[in-house]
């Protein structure tokens, strides 16, 4: 039986970051994932979404030794722009920008492709002597006691750990084995994720365009084949998203360019399109005996305002702080109760805000879309409110 301080179930971005963080802090770590990570842009199964690390998340990456490896590939996000295109003709009728200069001399965040993040994180894990990553192996059973957890893996082997970290997604096997329930909200939406090039430079501006069905979001990426490039998340009601995903490339380029209001010129698809359902989900508790939930095992939210992964890394930071404060009590009940208290209420409140934003972005009725535009204009016009919203967006508690 393998014995470690921490077993991490899940080798996505949150799980790999957790492995780096706890390994850097001196804990022995085993990270498992049933799917081998794809680390090349053009390979089958590559995650073509991108992640915007806001300032607090970037600080955590620097603290755990990852940022030096990621920084050369990161695209700064200097401005967050919101466009309301909810008029009858679908043309932009209100544009409001939130500039990071109002808060500090640093960008709001930095954007990186998810496939590249996995590549660089795995390379960093290989330099940590007490961290092991086992791709192709998942968790198959969990037995907890006061002093330890025993986990059965899908290859038949067993692991004894003081703490099990569930970073294994919205259908988390560890969460289910620990008997923790969830509350789920379904919006009837799906999101398309892909990458594009365009003739007009993005100038480090991330843009959300609101019409109906959900936002169309363009997030800056490094140039691709000598052209400006952006990652796109396009949220629509389910049937419409499926129709768009089935279009041939020429027709899709035409429709997405129109949906983007041509703010960056005609868009050209440069990757495959992935589609996934949009839900909100929160676990009833973030901990159980010898188990801590982070990331989508704990909470799932619509991809608005770069909140998902940044909230996940705030989970990790809280758990890491508690572990480093008292390594001798790693995984015991008081530590995990403190983790639950530190995160559950705060995340629930943040999720309610994201839920309201998403429902506002979906509005079909013209009078409601008009109210949405007026609300955006009013919030932006008040400087203290505008700056407060920007601070909240970056993860501040108030």
């Amino acid at each position: 039986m393998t014995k470690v301080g921490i077993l991490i179930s899940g080798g996505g971005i949150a799980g790999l970051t957790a492995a780096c963080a706890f390994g850097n802090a001196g804990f022995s770590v085993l990270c498992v994932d049933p799917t081998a990570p794809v680390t090349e842009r053009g390979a089958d199964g590559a995650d073509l979404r991108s992640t915007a690390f806001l300032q607090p998340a970037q600080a955590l990456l620097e603290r755990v030794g990852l940022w030096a490896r990621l920084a050369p590939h990161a695209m700064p996000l200097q401005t967050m722009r919101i466009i309301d295109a909810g008029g009858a003709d679908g043309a932009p009728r209100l544009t409001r920008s939130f500039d990071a200069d109002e808060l500090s001399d640093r960008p709001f965040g930095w954007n990186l492709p998810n496939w590249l993040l996995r590549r660089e994180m795995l390379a960093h894990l290989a330099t940590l002597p007490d961290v092991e990553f086992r791709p192709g192996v998942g968790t198959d059973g969990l037995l907890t006691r006061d002093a330890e957890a025993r986990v059965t893996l899908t290859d038949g082997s067993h692991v004894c750990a003081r703490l099990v970290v569930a970073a294994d997604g919205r259908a988390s096997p560890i969460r289910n084995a620990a008997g923790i329930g969830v509350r789920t909200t379904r919006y009837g939406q799906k999101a398309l994720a892909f990458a594009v090039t365009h003739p007009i430079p993005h100038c480090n501006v991330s843009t959300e365009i609101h019409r109906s069905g959900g936002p169309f979001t363009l997030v800056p990426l490094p140039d691709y084949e000598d052209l400006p490039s952006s990652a796109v998340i396009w949220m629509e009601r389910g049937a419409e998203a499926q129709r768009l995903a089935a279009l041939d490339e020429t027709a899709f380029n035409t429709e997405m360019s129109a949906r983007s209001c041509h703010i960056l010129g005609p868009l050209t698809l440069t990757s495959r399109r992935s589609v996934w359902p949009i839900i909100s989900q929160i676990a009833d508790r973030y901990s159980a005996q010898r188990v801590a939930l982070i990331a989508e095992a704990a909470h799932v939210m619509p991809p608005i305002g770069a909140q998902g992964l940044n909230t996940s890394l705030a989970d990790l930071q809280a758990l890491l702080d508690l572990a480093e404060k008292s390594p001798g009590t790693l995984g015991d009940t008081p530590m995990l109760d403190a983790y639950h208290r530190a995160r559950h209420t705060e995340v629930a409140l943040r999720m309610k805000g994201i839920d309201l934003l998403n429902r506002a972005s979906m509005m079909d009725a013209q009078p409601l879309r008009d109210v949405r535009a007026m609300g955006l204009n009013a919030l932006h016009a008040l400087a203290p409110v505008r700056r407060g919203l920007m601070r909240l967006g970056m993860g501040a508690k108030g």
Side-chain angles (χ1 to χ4, degrees):
M1 177 179 290
T2 302
K3 290 191 175 183
V4 294
I6 300 171
L7 171 71
I8 298 171
S9 176
I13 292 170
L16 293 177
T17 305
C20 292
F22 286 112
N24 184 74
F27 295 97
S28 60
V29 178
L30 172 62
C31 180
V32 299
D33 193 287
T35 304
V38 179
T39 57
E40 296 181 11
R41 186 182 191 277
D44 290 343
D47 186 349
L48 300 176
R49 294 172 293 175
S50 66
T51 295
F53 294 100
L54 303 178
Q55 286 185 18
Q58 184 271 340
L60 175 64
L61 295 175
E62 194 160 34
R63 168 184 169 185
V64 304
L66 272 171
W67 187 245
R69 189 179 289 274
L70 298 176
H73 309 285
M75 179 58 61
L77 305 177
Q78 182 63 32
T79 302
M80 303 293 188
R81 177 171 57 188
I82 299 178
I83 296 175
D84 187 277
D89 60 358
R93 58 176 180 170
L94 180 67
T95 299
R96 293 293 179 262
S97 296
F98 300 82
D99 199 288
D101 285 342
E102 288 197 59
L103 299 181
S104 72
D105 59 357
R106 307 174 72 218
F108 283 117
W110 296 261
N111 198 49
L112 293 103
N114 285 4
W115 64 266
L116 185 145
L117 285 169
R118 286 180 170 86
R119 184 189 75 191
E120 298 302 318
M121 289 176 174
L122 287 173
H124 185 68
L125 279 182
T127 70
L128 299 175
D130 291 326
V131 179
E132 180 186 355
F133 177 56
R134 291 188 199 171
V137 179
T139 58
D140 194 40
L142 172 71
L143 177 66
T144 62
R145 293 289 184 265
D146 287 343
E148 64 185 21
R150 296 191 176 189
V151 181
T152 302
L153 303 182
T154 54
D155 64 358
S157 63
H158 297 83
V159 178
C160 177
R162 295 171 63 195
L163 172 64
V164 178
V165 176
D168 45 5
R170 58 185 67 184
S172 169
I174 290 294
R175 185 189 66 221
N176 294 337
I180 301 174
V182 296
R183 288 169 285 157
T184 304
T185 300
R186 304 186 186 280
Y187 298 98
Q189 292 170 292
K190 294 184 184 296
L192 293 92
F194 49 91
V196 298
T197 55
H198 36 81
I200 300 174
H202 49 60
C203 298
N204 303 115
V205 177
S206 178
T207 304
E208 281 188 4
I209 303 170
H210 295 262
R211 191 172 69 189
S212 61
F216 182 101
T217 305
L218 292 143
V219 188
L221 289 174
D223 288 359
Y224 180 69
E225 296 183 344
D226 297 322
L227 286 171
S229 180
S230 295
V232 177
I233 300 293
W234 185 357
M235 293 167 58
E236 286 286 359
R237 298 189 185 276
E240 174 65 3
Q242 296 287 16
R243 181 190 73 82
L244 292 165
L247 292 176
D248 66 62
E249 193 167 314
T250 299
F252 187 76
N253 285 345
T254 298
E255 292 223 20
M256 70 170 167
S257 297
R259 183 64 179 83
S260 74
C261 301
H262 297 278
I263 60 168
L264 297 177
L267 305 181
T268 301
L269 185 68
T270 59
S271 71
R272 65 178 177 83
R273 290 161 273 181
S274 60
V275 183
W276 79 98
I278 300 300
I279 65 170
S280 284
Q281 181 171 281
I282 187 166
D284 295 337
R285 283 192 57 83
Y286 282 8
S287 65
Q289 188 176 52
R290 293 286 159 185
V291 172
L293 311 184
I294 69 169
E296 289 201 340
H299 49 76
V300 183
M301 57 188 75
I304 294 176
Q307 293 301 300
L309 198 278
N310 286 276
T311 303
S312 300
L313 294 190
D315 299 338
L316 172 58
Q317 180 165 322
L319 192 61
L320 179 64
D321 287 345
L322 289 165
E324 287 190 310
K325 182 179 180 180
S326 184
T329 63
L330 178 69
D332 70 7
T333 296
M335 172 194 163
L336 293 177
D337 284 348
Y339 169 66
H340 168 78
R341 290 193 301 271
R343 296 300 299 149
H344 192 268
T345 299
E346 179 186 335
V347 173
L349 290 172
R350 190 168 293 270
M351 288 182 66
K352 287 182 180 179
I354 296 297
D355 175 83
L356 289 172
L357 289 172
N358 188 40
R359 293 182 188 279
S361 76
M362 294 172 65
M363 290 174 177
D364 287 321
Q366 189 62 57
L368 294 177
R369 286 192 271 171
D370 293 342
V371 170
R372 180 183 67 199
M374 288 187 290
L376 170 61
N377 191 45
L379 291 172
H380 185 273
L382 298 170
V385 174
R386 181 174 67 248
R387 288 192 290 269
L389 289 172
M390 288 191 284
R391 284 191 290 268
L392 285 170
M394 287 198 297
K397 295 182 181 181

